[in-house]
Amino acid sequence: MPRADKLLASIGHAASGAGGTVVSTLATYPLDLVNTRLKVQRQLRVDGKIRDEDGYAGIFDAFARIYEKEGGLQAFFAGLGADLGKSAADSFLFFLFYTWFRTRRLVGRNGLPHLRVIEELAVGAAAGACAKLFTTPVSNVVTRRQTASLMDASSDDGHPKTNDLSFWEIVSEMRRERGLLGLWAGYSASLVLTLNPSMTFFLQQILKRILVPREKWDDPGAQRTFFLAAMSKVAATSVTYPFQIAKARIQVSGKHEEKGEKDMAGRKKLPRDTIFSMVARIAREEGVKALYDGMGGELLKGFFNHGTTMLTKDIIHSFIIKLYFAILAALTNYPQIKAGLIKKVREVREDMRKRRSQATLLGLNGFERGMQFVRSTGSVVESKAA
């Protein structure tokens, strides 16, 4: 276990990273939804879940048709709630593990502020793998919600529309199709895609060392932070995009029956596509171009999403640090604060005691005056009666 100071630093980066991710997800979610549909529309045609005419010619065509056919602006936010929760958890866990692992690796490196290339990549990959283990089921639900309207438009089988199902109903549907482990469909692909964040942060560190003076490494400024994060994300996404295509297709695929192959009970087998076999099959059957469907939108989203995430993260992290030291200062002065509170409580108690005493005296005086009145009244009555 890390020491308390390392754990606090990790939690601080994790909380600020989650906050930054929520902001960037809200800002770029419509683009993410369109990108997801562009990635999987070929697979949905192969599965027979959509007609040929239901696909999109490109990113602008997708925006126009979704707006026109699916209810305007609200159509671009299908599945937003689940994605916000998934993104926040994913980012929190990634930054938590990334900061923890990286801090531990930096110990004993004679004050060097960076790791070797292989160490930077390994730390990012390990952090991503740990985070995705917890968030892959939610990611699968989000992908289905994002593509639901596209599939529902082509479905006339009388079954409930995916877009009308709740989060847990979609989970139940996925379990029926693939079993419990089906909730983690695409996790092996996620392990490969951990190269994306690890490459992103590695390139960000490299660019920072090249373009930013050493004395400003801890605080490069808002514009530099945004630019470095955005450019590193674009570069990493360009390398790993074919694997993102494969992952998205694995997530939306239901049952794929292999012709002629049956199990011991005579039932048709389900293929076990790995991310590498999926990439190879797409390239073989659909051409290399299919591995880059929607890449322009993904690069645009990555540029703004990661840039906004890191910029917002730095702002939130700065606030957390200031709040931490403010609380620490308050706790340091706790004896004085406690003494002041005790003094105030005693003053209030003394004031209440005096007020009770005064009320008691007033009550006794009033009682005596009342008795005198009664006695005097009784004397008058008796004298008149006599």
Side-chain angles (χ1 to χ4, degrees):
M1 292 296 288
R3 295 182 304 177
D5 56 344
K6 294 179 184 177
L7 182 59
L8 287 174
S10 300
I11 292 175
H13 282 286
S16 58
T21 298
V22 168
V23 173
S24 63
T25 298
L26 283 171
T28 61
Y29 189 79
L31 189 56
D32 183 47
L33 180 141
V34 169
N35 290 339
T36 300
R37 293 193 181 189
L38 291 173
K39 290 175 185 175
V40 303
Q41 61 180 355
R42 288 176 184 263
Q43 183 66 49
L44 295 178
R45 289 196 191 102
V46 172
D47 295 345
K49 293 181 179 179
I50 65 171
R51 299 180 295 264
D52 290 342
E53 61 269 23
D54 291 323
Y56 308 114
I59 184 170
F60 296 109
D61 179 56
F63 269 106
R65 293 177 64 180
I66 291 172
Y67 182 86
E68 179 183 352
K69 295 183 177 181
E70 298 180 23
L73 290 176
Q74 65 179 6
F76 293 103
F77 295 92
L80 175 61
D83 192 49
L84 280 178
K86 185 269 296 182
S87 297
D90 204 2
S91 181
F92 181 90
L93 292 170
F94 176 81
F95 280 107
L96 179 66
F97 288 117
Y98 179 81
T99 307
W100 182 1
F101 294 157
R102 193 171 189 275
T103 301
R104 290 175 67 87
R105 290 298 303 168
L106 284 172
V107 174
R109 291 188 58 79
N110 299 322
L112 289 176
H114 56 81
L115 301 176
R116 290 188 294 268
V117 173
I118 189 64
E119 290 178 316
E120 287 280 9
L121 293 174
V123 165
C130 292
K132 295 297 183 184
L133 179 63
F134 295 96
T135 61
T136 293
V138 185
S139 177
N140 289 335
V141 173
V142 170
T143 300
R144 291 211 175 192
R145 288 298 302 274
Q146 289 179 332
T147 58
S149 296
L150 181 61
M151 291 187 292
D152 290 344
S154 297
S155 176
D156 298 315
D157 57 5
H159 289 86
K161 303 298 185 184
T162 305
N163 211 26
D164 297 330
L165 300 178
S166 68
F167 178 90
W168 294 110
E169 286 172 335
I170 295 177
V171 170
S172 298
E173 185 179 78
M174 291 165 61
R175 287 189 61 186
R176 286 196 301 271
E177 290 178 358
R178 293 191 170 195
L180 182 61
L181 292 180
L183 298 177
W184 276 267
Y187 178 67
S188 60
S190 296
L191 293 180
V192 176
L193 287 173
T194 56
L195 288 174
N196 186 291
S198 63
M199 287 177 62
T200 299
F201 283 95
F202 167 68
L203 292 172
Q204 191 170 329
Q205 296 292 334
I206 294 295
L207 291 175
K208 183 166 67 174
R209 274 182 264 164
I210 295 173
L211 302 176
V212 180
R214 179 161 185 159
E215 61 272 13
K216 293 186 178 181
W217 282 4
D218 291 333
D219 185 16
Q223 292 182 343
R224 282 175 174 166
T225 297
F226 182 92
F227 177 78
L228 294 175
M231 293 307 298
S232 60
K233 188 65 174 180
V234 167
T237 300
S238 299
V239 175
T240 60
Y241 191 74
F243 296 104
Q244 293 186 35
I245 289 281
K247 177 191 174 187
R249 292 199 182 192
I250 291 172
Q251 287 178 318
V252 298
S253 297
K255 294 181 178 180
H256 298 291
E257 297 175 348
E258 293 285 345
K259 294 181 179 180
E261 291 191 17
K262 297 183 179 181
D263 60 14
M264 297 295 292
R267 295 172 298 188
K268 292 182 179 179
K269 288 183 179 180
L270 299 180
R272 297 181 179 179
D273 276 329
T274 66
I275 190 169
F276 297 105
S277 65
M278 178 67 82
V279 168
R281 183 166 64 83
I282 293 172
R284 183 178 64 253
E285 297 178 1
E286 304 172 31
V288 175
K289 183 180 177 181
L291 294 172
Y292 295 91
D293 283 346
M295 184 174 176
E298 186 69 22
L299 292 179
L300 184 64
K301 188 205 84 170
F303 182 90
F304 288 106
N305 186 288
H306 191 65
T308 304
T309 296
M310 297 307 297
L311 179 60
T312 310
K313 174 186 178 295
D314 282 356
I315 294 173
I316 296 175
H317 190 248
S318 177
F319 172 77
I320 290 175
I321 290 175
K322 292 177 181 178
L323 180 63
Y324 170 76
F325 281 110
I327 295 173
L328 188 63
L331 292 175
T332 302
N333 296 324
Y334 179 71
Q336 291 84 347
I337 296 174
K338 182 178 179 180
L341 289 174
I342 292 175
K343 182 179 179 181
K344 188 66 177 178
V345 170
R346 287 177 178 173
E347 290 176 355
V348 172
R349 286 179 177 175
E350 183 65 20
D351 183 65
M352 292 178 63
R353 188 186 64 79
K354 290 179 180 180
R355 290 178 181 273
R356 283 197 300 270
S357 298
Q358 291 175 357
T360 301
L361 290 174
L362 289 173
L364 290 174
N365 291 335
F367 179 75
E368 290 179 357
R369 289 175 183 175
M371 291 301 295
Q372 289 177 358
F373 176 77
V374 171
R375 284 196 295 269
S376 62
T377 303
S379 300
V380 172
V381 172
E382 288 177 358
S383 61
K384 286 185 177 181

